[in-house]
Amino acid sequence: MIRTYRAELLSVAHDAPDAVRHEPDGLLVVEDGVVAARGPYAELAGRYPEPEVLPGLVVPGFIDAHVHYPQTDRIASYGEQLLDWLDKHIFPAEKAFADKAHADAVAAFFLDELLRSGTTSALVFPTVHEQSVDALFEAALERRMRIVSGKVLMDLGPDGLNDTVASGRAGTEALIRRWKGRGRLGYAVTPRFALASSDAQLADAGALLAEHPEVLMHTHLSENRHEIAAVAQRFPDSADYLDAYDRFGLVTPRSVFAHGVHLSDRACARLHESGAGIAVCPSSNLFLGSGHFDFGQARRHGLRLGLGTDVGAGTSFSLLRTAGLAYQAALAREDRLDPFRALYLATAGSAALLRIADRVGALEVGQEADFVVLDSAATPLMARRTAEADLATRLFALQILGDERAIAATYVLGECAYKRTP
């Protein structure tokens, strides 16, 4: 089936100034869920059926490079930094995911909230329970979303939220077998963070990663100074936090590390050398008082970056709003994140980090047709600010003033999956 859409089209396929592709009056042709053609309407009109006109700025579907779906109901939990926040708010909430019905309900709400925020793909933390992954993948299949996830490994976790080396491996392998090749789903070996797993489990996670070359590795890195100090005490022979993972074979081109707020230059050099990357989560880092990601350091070392909301430490499912906070985090360190690079991080950058850039992220011919219609007049203030604005100013205003209210519609595989009600 062929669907055609006429709209203003914008994408940034690579992390370079000349990668911006903009058709002020464009035509997007979708055949069986895949982009078949894209270009100026005047050049393509007449070759395809009459298009549907989309009023707004069409960009690739947002790709959340790090988000915790079981923490949905603990967003906006008061008063703690990372380690205490986990103990007080998060671990108790995650224990409820032993109940499949509860996991089903939260997964459905979570994915609908992503679509309402313009997010069509995501790398997602579940819980230690296999059924938390099943619930998420089942809901993603129904919505045809591209979701990567994997059972959390944490044999040093609290009672009710821990596994063993053997059960962690068995659960991981069972889930990989159960979901491999289904829909648009992918798997990630997921040790929670270095403090939550024994040396034996971290070593086994590295072995699982080596045994399954199609999967990612997803964990946390250098988020909070108290956490970093605890890791240094636990692994006194490691050069730094990243080295604590590296010794177990967990630093590879398929490794996605969330946060990376406090990285040594040695760690940055090793990340670049390995091809691993960082999911930057500015709203979470601000909310938990963790600090501001160092975009300048990342640029100097050529690090691969994506953008994540991290909910529930993050404060919004909106990657538009998260991009605005990334700008502020960069400025706090006297760097500037221009709006086109911010769009790249939320789309093709995150796609590259998740090893899915051949399929999503840039609305190029041959890619899956996931896209979002942005409304720069979604609020009276945004409408006033952007009334006479050029493209860069409109995009920046969307990132600073926008959130889910600016999402007019979200399309998955060329079909409308969410439409804002008047």
Side-chain angles (χ1 to χ4, degrees):
M1 178 180 290
I2 294 179
R3 293 181 169 85
T4 56
Y5 301 99
R6 183 178 182 179
E8 181 181 10
L9 306 176
L10 173 66
S11 61
V12 186
H14 305 287
D15 192 5
D18 62 356
V20 176
R21 182 174 178 183
H22 178 227
E23 291 98 354
D25 182 14
L27 186 70
L28 186 69
V29 180
V30 180
E31 184 172 1
D32 297 329
V34 174
V35 177
R38 172 187 169 180
Y41 175 76
E43 294 181 9
L44 296 176
R47 304 185 203 173
Y48 300 99
E50 190 67 19
E52 177 184 348
V53 177
L54 301 178
L57 177 64
V58 170
V59 301
F62 297 131
I63 300 169
D64 197 326
H66 175 72
V67 59
H68 292 254
Y69 100 85
Q71 298 179 12
T72 297
D73 293 334
R74 290 298 179 270
I75 193 170
S77 292
Y78 173 77
E80 307 290 345
Q81 288 199 344
L82 175 65
L83 297 180
D84 292 332
W85 176 82
L86 287 171
D87 289 335
K88 182 176 181 179
H89 299 297
I90 299 307
F91 290 156
E94 291 190 2
K95 290 178 183 179
F97 285 76
D99 178 2
K100 177 63 159 51
H102 176 76
D104 287 337
V106 176
F109 178 87
F110 167 80
L111 292 179
D112 287 344
E113 198 69 9
L114 290 190
L115 291 171
R116 194 167 74 90
S117 299
T119 297
T120 53
S121 300
L123 177 57
V124 184
F125 247 80
T127 68
V128 72
H129 311 98
E130 284 184 51
Q131 56 266 35
S132 72
V133 182
D134 289 330
L136 178 67
F137 280 169
E138 288 162 6
L141 274 182
E142 291 175 8
R143 292 158 179 79
R144 303 195 302 163
M145 297 173 72
R146 184 166 286 287
I147 298 295
V148 183
S149 188
K151 181 194 124 48
V152 175
L153 303 172
M154 47 188 304
D155 65 341
L156 299 183
D159 289 344
L161 263 191
N162 57 358
D163 56 9
T164 65
V165 175
S167 67
R169 168 174 277 269
T172 296
E173 290 183 326
L175 286 162
I176 291 172
R177 288 193 302 271
R178 188 148 68 240
W179 292 103
K180 185 175 182 179
R182 297 182 62 182
R184 305 171 72 197
L185 305 176
Y187 200 86
V189 172
T190 310
R192 187 179 200 110
F193 68 137
L195 296 176
S197 290
S198 65
D199 287 15
Q201 186 169 66
L202 291 171
D204 199 57
L208 283 164
L209 186 63
E211 292 162 17
H212 297 279
E214 75 281 9
V215 309
L216 299 182
M217 196 288 298
H218 185 199
T219 191
H220 299 84
L221 172 69
S222 298
E223 177 178 359
N224 174 280
R225 293 194 184 280
H226 298 295
E227 167 212 20
I228 293 166
V231 170
Q233 185 174 19
R234 160 85 186 276
F235 300 98
D237 295 331
S238 294
D240 49 38
Y241 197 155
L242 183 70
D243 193 42
Y245 289 124
D246 210 356
R247 64 194 296 185
F248 297 111
L250 294 171
V251 182
T252 80
R254 291 178 282 130
S255 299
V256 178
F257 294 100
H259 304 294
V261 179
H262 308 285
L263 293 173
S264 67
D265 284 335
R266 191 218 69 85
C268 288
R270 175 60 183 139
L271 286 167
H272 175 75
E273 176 190 47
S274 69
I278 300 291
V280 182
C281 305
S283 66
S284 167
N285 302 151
L286 179 62
F287 179 72
L288 291 180
S290 299
H292 300 297
F293 182 79
D294 193 336
F295 283 94
Q297 181 190 45
R299 182 180 61 252
R300 291 191 299 274
H301 287 277
L303 298 190
R304 298 171 58 240
L305 304 179
L307 202 61
T309 63
D310 192 39
V311 169
T315 54
S316 171
F317 287 95
S318 171
L319 277 169
L320 268 183
R321 176 167 170 75
T322 303
L325 290 171
Y327 168 82
Q328 295 175 51
L331 203 60
R333 289 182 178 265
E334 301 186 16
D335 286 306
R336 285 186 292 180
L337 180 66
D338 78 68
F340 297 105
R341 184 162 192 245
L343 178 62
Y344 165 78
L345 292 177
T347 55
S350 285
L353 194 62
L354 273 55
R355 300 286 167 175
I356 53 175
D358 58 327
R359 286 162 279 184
V360 291
L363 282 181
E364 297 290 348
V365 171
Q367 288 193 333
E368 296 158 351
D370 293 348
F371 57 91
V372 181
V373 184
L374 300 179
D375 178 9
S376 59
T379 69
L381 177 60
M382 290 174 64
R384 187 176 183 90
R385 179 66 183 91
T386 61
E388 305 295 333
D390 61 15
L391 176 62
T393 302
R394 279 189 290 138
L395 184 59
F396 186 63
L398 279 161
Q399 292 168 357
I400 298 300
L401 303 176
D403 52 28
E404 65 275 3
R405 293 171 296 175
I407 307 300
T410 304
Y411 286 73
V412 172
L413 295 176
E415 297 182 18
C416 188
Y418 163 79
K419 190 171 185 178
R420 186 184 61 198
T421 55

